[in-house]
């Protein structure tokens, strides 16, 4: 039986968190290759520690994408995040590049040949989710956690005298009554800061960002509002803790409110279904909820490496469906969208350099940008077709 009254917590990490620095660099490499060749292949992992960045993985793309260009893209990413510290500086960090050619064994499974369509870049399971807790059809705890850190980053970028550093984390606990969020019971924010700024000052810098993001009247009690609870956070980023690509997959998705297939997104071109099919699952789930067919929707798709068609499509409306047969919905979803890797990429226009912006503050619940072509999987353009299929 599903609980009706409970507490649920999600966390987010800012663009300057060590793992997010690595996600950003890896996605900058993806964008660099896709800008040069829309069908380039990239599987890029990044490690960052004190004034050191290691970029490794497999690629297939034009020779015009040189190691010098990749190094420059990494430095620009670090600079844009805001790292100009003794222990991690965009200009002085040692950057080592260990990228090599994609495995021929993997390539032959993915490439189209004769009557064979392009296959999935790996086996695996991917999930998507949507619910009515926020206007973005995202779970509220992760959506608010992202919003707090995005606001702090905007303040930091707007003024060199903000007192804030790039590294930050947030955590929001909400009380649910009858299955719906009603208030925050605790909020935790840890943010890197200048040496001269004390804990109380940081608390008051953070407070308005929390109040702005949470619905009116939802703020927790003062005793449950924790800002830099260790008392000091001057050393941060890769200088304070080693970072790796793909270590924040729950932050990147639904904050633990929905299942996760286990595969990371950043650093992967869209032939990798870990990324593209997870985006497709979110797209379909969001459109189901936006069409009024359910208040919650979880979708799972599975693939085998080298095989174009999905092995399974599963839909769970969590007892919130509006006179909708889930088996019929599974069939309808296959009809309204080609779920082969090629079909997903073409439908969502994914073979473009659109990924660096996804590397922080969540891959879902974002606003599509028509001009830049970003976050196409957040559109709700399938709503008319879904409504029609169910006579709405």
């Amino acid at each position: 039986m599903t609980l009706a009254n409970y507490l649920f917590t999600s966390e987010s990490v800012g663009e300057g968190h060590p793992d997010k620095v690595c996600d950003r660099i890896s996605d900058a490499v993806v964008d660099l290759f896709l800008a040069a060749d829309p069908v380039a292949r990239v599987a890029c992992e990044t490690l960052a520690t004190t004034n050191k960045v290691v970029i490794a993985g497999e690629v297939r793309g034009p020779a015009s994408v040189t190691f010098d260009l990749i190094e420059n893209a990494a430095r620009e990413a670090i600079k844009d995040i805001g790292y100009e510290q003794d222990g991690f500086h965009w200009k002085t960090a040692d950057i080592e590049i260990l990228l090599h050619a994609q495995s021929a064994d993997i390539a032959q499974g993915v490439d189209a040949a004769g009557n064979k369509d392009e296959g999935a870049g790996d086996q695996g399971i991917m999930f998507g989710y949507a619910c009515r807790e926020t206007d973005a059809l995202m779970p509220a705890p992760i959506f608010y956690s992202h919003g707090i850190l995005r606001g702090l980053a905007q303040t930091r970028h707007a003024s060199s005298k903000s007192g804030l550093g790039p590294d930050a984390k947030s955590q929001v606990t909400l009380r649910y009554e009858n299955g719906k969020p009603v208030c925050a019971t605790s909020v935790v924010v840890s943010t890197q800061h200048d040496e001269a700024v004390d804990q109380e000052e940081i608390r008051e810098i953070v407070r308005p960002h929390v109040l702005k993001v949470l619905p009116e009247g939802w703020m927790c009690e003062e005793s449950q509002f924790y800002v830099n609870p260790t008392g000091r956070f001057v050393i941060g980023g890769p200088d304070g803790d080693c970072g790796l690509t793909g270590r924040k997959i729950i932050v990147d998705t639904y904050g633990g409110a929905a299942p996760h297939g286990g595969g990371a997104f950043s650093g992967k071109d869209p032939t990798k279904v870990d990324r593209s099919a997870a985006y497709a699952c979110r797209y379909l789930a969001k459109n189901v909820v936006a069409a009024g067919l359910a208040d919650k929707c979880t979708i799972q798709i599975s693939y085998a490496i080298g095989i174009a068609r999905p092995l399974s499509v599963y839909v769970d409306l969590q007892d919130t469906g509006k006179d909708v047969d889930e088996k019929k919905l599974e069939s309808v979803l296959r009809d309204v969208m080609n779920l082969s890797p090629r079909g997903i990429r073409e439908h969502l226009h994914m073979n473009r350099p659109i990924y660096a912006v996804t590397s922080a503050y969540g891959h879902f619940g974002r606003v599509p940008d028509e001009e830049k072509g970003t976050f196409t999987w957040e559109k709700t353009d399938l709503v008319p077709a879904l409504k029609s299929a169910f006579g709405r």
Side-chain angles (χ1 to χ4, degrees):
M1 180 180 295
T2 302
L3 288 175
N5 304 316
Y6 55 92
L7 302 182
F8 193 83
T9 304
S10 294
E11 71 157 348
S12 179
V13 296
E15 63 194 44
H17 184 280
D19 296 331
K20 282 291 143 197
V21 172
C22 294
D23 285 348
R24 173 67 177 274
I25 293 171
S26 292
D27 275 336
V29 174
V30 172
D31 284 353
L32 189 65
F33 273 93
L34 292 179
D37 180 359
V39 296
R41 302 278 172 78
V42 183
C44 176
E45 311 291 345
T46 302
L47 174 148
T49 185
T50 301
N51 257 341
K52 177 74 175 183
V53 174
V54 178
I55 302 171
E58 303 78 47
V59 297
R60 189 177 77 185
S64 60
V65 182
T66 64
F67 278 13
D68 284 345
L69 289 178
I70 293 169
E71 179 181 333
N72 184 67
R75 293 193 188 280
E76 287 299 314
I78 297 166
K79 181 180 180 181
D80 188 60
I81 292 169
Y83 276 111
E84 296 185 341
Q85 301 169 3
D86 290 341
F88 197 70
H89 197 296
W90 65 270
K91 188 181 293 186
T92 60
D94 177 39
I95 298 180
E96 185 176 2
I97 301 172
L98 302 174
L99 296 170
H100 60 83
Q102 183 186 44
S103 161
D105 291 349
I106 293 176
Q108 73 173 2
V110 177
D111 291 343
N115 294 325
K116 175 185 174 297
D117 194 4
E118 294 178 25
D122 201 353
Q123 71 174 52
I125 56 176
M126 297 83 208
F127 286 92
Y129 180 71
C131 63
R132 293 198 176 279
E133 292 181 12
T134 61
D135 290 342
L137 303 185
M138 284 288 289
I142 188 66
F143 188 73
Y144 298 144
S145 294
H146 287 325
I148 292 167
L149 295 187
R150 192 181 297 113
L152 285 171
Q154 290 169 349
T155 294
R156 176 173 59 83
H157 285 299
S159 172
S160 60
K161 299 180 180 179
S162 69
L164 299 170
D167 197 355
K169 301 179 76 170
S170 64
Q171 184 173 289
V172 174
T173 300
L174 298 184
R175 180 184 304 281
Y176 283 71
E177 295 181 357
N178 297 319
K180 297 181 179 180
V182 296
C183 68
T185 61
S186 67
V187 176
V188 183
V189 180
S190 295
T191 179
Q192 189 180 11
H193 58 87
D194 294 347
E195 183 87 44
V197 183
D198 64 32
Q199 187 176 17
E200 192 55 38
E201 288 178 275
I202 290 295
R203 187 181 186 87
E204 296 313 310
I205 291 171
V206 168
R207 186 188 302 276
H209 293 286
V210 177
L211 292 173
K212 182 178 180 180
V213 166
L214 293 178
E216 186 175 357
W218 279 37
M219 184 61 175
C220 62
E221 296 179 1
E222 189 67 16
S223 63
Q224 299 301 308
F225 178 39
Y226 302 97
V227 178
N228 285 7
T230 66
R232 175 183 167 88
F233 189 1
V234 174
I235 300 172
D239 187 29
D241 190 12
C242 182
L244 293 169
T245 298
R247 250 192 338 197
K248 289 294 178 284
I249 57 176
I250 298 302
V251 170
D252 287 342
T253 52
Y254 308 102
H260 193 295
F265 304 154
S266 290
K268 298 176 181 177
D269 74 79
T271 67
K272 279 71 172 175
V273 284
D274 275 343
R275 180 168 223 162
S276 56
Y279 289 1
C281 287
R282 162 63 180 173
Y283 174 64
L284 293 175
K286 184 175 183 180
N287 275 269
V288 167
V289 174
L293 302 183
D295 291 334
K296 296 180 181 180
C297 180
T298 300
I299 293 176
Q300 184 207 62
I301 303 178
S302 67
Y303 292 87
I305 188 168
I307 306 300
R309 60 177 176 79
L311 305 183
S312 64
V313 176
Y314 165 80
V315 177
D316 180 5
L317 302 181
Q318 299 177 36
D319 297 324
T320 70
K322 313 298 183 181
D323 297 319
V324 173
D325 179 80
E326 289 165 334
K327 288 298 181 184
K328 178 181 177 180
L329 181 55
E330 290 171 5
S331 177
V332 168
L333 293 178
R334 287 178 182 266
D335 291 339
V336 298
M337 185 178 185
N338 179 351
L339 293 174
S340 70
R342 182 203 296 270
I344 292 171
R345 297 197 307 277
E346 291 180 350
H347 190 108
L348 297 177
H349 308 290
M350 298 181 72
N351 285 100
R352 297 181 290 179
I354 57 173
Y355 297 105
V357 71
T358 69
S359 61
Y361 313 117
H363 293 245
F364 307 132
R366 309 287 288 274
V367 179
D369 188 318
E370 293 287 347
E371 183 178 344
K372 296 179 180 178
T374 54
F375 300 105
T376 54
W377 48 93
E378 290 297 315
K379 293 182 178 181
T380 53
D381 50 352
L382 292 182
V383 165
L386 291 172
K387 285 185 173 181
S388 176
F390 287 90
R392 306 297 167 91

